[in-house]
Amino acid sequence: MNHFTNKEGFDGIRSQPTWMFRASQPRAAHNPVGAYFTDYPPEEPHLAVKLFLPREKLHYIFSFRDRGDLLPLPGGRGRLKRIFYSPVTYEVERARQTFHGRTGIE
């Protein structure tokens, strides 16, 4: 599972041994409050459009092993199991962490 972010978000999340992804209201008010994740890889074509994110939020990535506890986003984007969320702050302990760093997307 992947979480994309900008430099500020990256520095905050990686500063702790257990990654904490804070639930918040996304820009699209019709989407639920949550911490958002996807199984799209960084090389996915048109990723910013598919995730409705500004390109600056694609510069850094956190990848981890999924436990199956994230909810699919309601509506069409979650139906294909591509966008998931947690309605509360989501913690990823070190044993599930697989990668964090720059994506190479500019």
Side-chain angles (χ1 to χ4, degrees), residues 1 35-39 70-73 81-85:
M1 193 64 60
Y36 282 78
F37 309 93
T38 184
D39 60 2
L70 296 170
L71 304 170
L73 183 64
K81 296 198 176 256
R82 302 303 286 195
I83 300 174
F84 304 85
Y85 77 102

Side-chain angles (χ1 to χ4, degrees), residues 24-35:
S24 62
Q25 179 62 56
R27 291 186 314 161
H30 63 277
N31 286 333
V33 170

Side-chain angles (χ1 to χ4, degrees), residues 14-58:
R14 75 181 176 124
S15 69
Q16 301 296 316
T18 296
W19 295 341
M20 293 180 60
F21 301 94
R22 303 221 183 268
S24 62
Q25 179 62 56
R27 291 186 314 161
H30 63 277
N31 286 333
V33 170
Y36 282 78
F37 309 93
T38 184
D39 60 2
Y40 283 125
E43 55 278 351
E44 177 72 24
H46 312 292
L47 185 59
V49 173
K50 290 177 180 177
L51 297 178
F52 290 92
L53 288 175
R55 287 188 61 80
E56 82 156 22
K57 287 265 189 161
L58 298 178

Side-chain angles (χ1 to χ4, degrees), residues 43-96:
E43 55 278 351
E44 177 72 24
H46 312 292
L47 185 59
V49 173
K50 290 177 180 177
L51 297 178
F52 290 92
L53 288 175
R55 287 188 61 80
E56 82 156 22
K57 287 265 189 161
L58 298 178
H59 291 176
Y60 293 87
I61 187 172
F62 289 90
S63 298
F64 59 93
R65 285 188 294 282
D66 183 22
R67 282 195 305 224
D69 58 343
L70 296 170
L71 304 170
L73 183 64
R77 294 189 316 156
R79 185 177 62 239
L80 299 176
K81 296 198 176 256
R82 302 303 286 195
I83 300 174
F84 304 85
Y85 77 102
S86 170
V88 298
T89 296
Y90 191 76
E91 296 184 4
V92 177
E93 63 281 357
R94 193 175 295 244
R96 293 194 308 140

